[in-house]
Amino acid sequence: MAVSAPRPVGIDTLLARVREGLDRVEAEEAYSAAQAGEALLVDIRYSALRERDGLIPGALVVERNELEWRLDPHGSHRAPEATSHDLRVVVVCNEGYASSLAAVSLHQLGLHRATDLVGGFQAWKAAGLPVTA
């Protein structure tokens, strides 16, 4: 008996589904958690956006295509900050879309506290939170 392929869904439906499993955070909450040492902010924006808009001070910059390798606590290419599967990671993209999908991918690696920033870097900047050139 042949197994049928999963029914296709649009990106908006997929995004809504994956966000149901995330405890997404607003910019002020992400800032407070990072300042208190309770969360690692991870900026996955590509270099042109970082150059154009600036950086979040203290955020770990990891290109999206390297994210899982850099944050897997048991991986051979992990970042020094990737210390545990209990690490609270807040993924930041430009506007808060790609970061939701990235956070779910981190969940699949066992980083059960991974989430993302609602509105992404643009929401951070609009909230008047620190940005460096």
Side-chain angles (χ1 to χ4, degrees), residues 3-27:
V3 176
S4 62
R7 186 182 157 136
V9 299
I11 188 60
D12 293 331
T13 300
L14 177 63
L15 201 54
R17 285 181 188 170
V18 301
R19 285 178 171 169
E20 289 175 3
L22 297 175
D23 183 18
R24 302 182 77 216
V25 296
E26 300 288 337

Side-chain angles (χ1 to χ4, degrees), residues 43-106:
D43 187 343
I44 64 168
R45 294 175 300 141
Y46 54 90
S47 63
L49 289 177
R50 295 191 312 266
E51 290 170 12
R52 182 189 76 189
D53 293 336
L55 300 168
I56 296 172
L60 176 65
V61 174
V62 178
E63 295 282 338
R64 173 61 190 99
N65 64 328
E66 298 178 359
L67 183 67
E68 291 82 0
W69 283 268
R70 304 291 286 146
L71 290 183
D72 178 0
H74 298 296
S76 59
H77 299 291
R78 74 174 182 83
E81 296 86 349
T83 56
S84 160
H85 285 97
D86 292 326
L87 181 65
R88 184 175 183 204
V89 174
V90 178
V91 182
V92 180
C93 68
N94 193 49
E95 294 182 342
Y97 296 99
S99 57
S100 295
L101 299 173
V104 167
S105 181
L106 293 177

Side-chain angles (χ1 to χ4, degrees), residues 11 42 122:
I11 188 60
V42 179
Q122 296 306 319

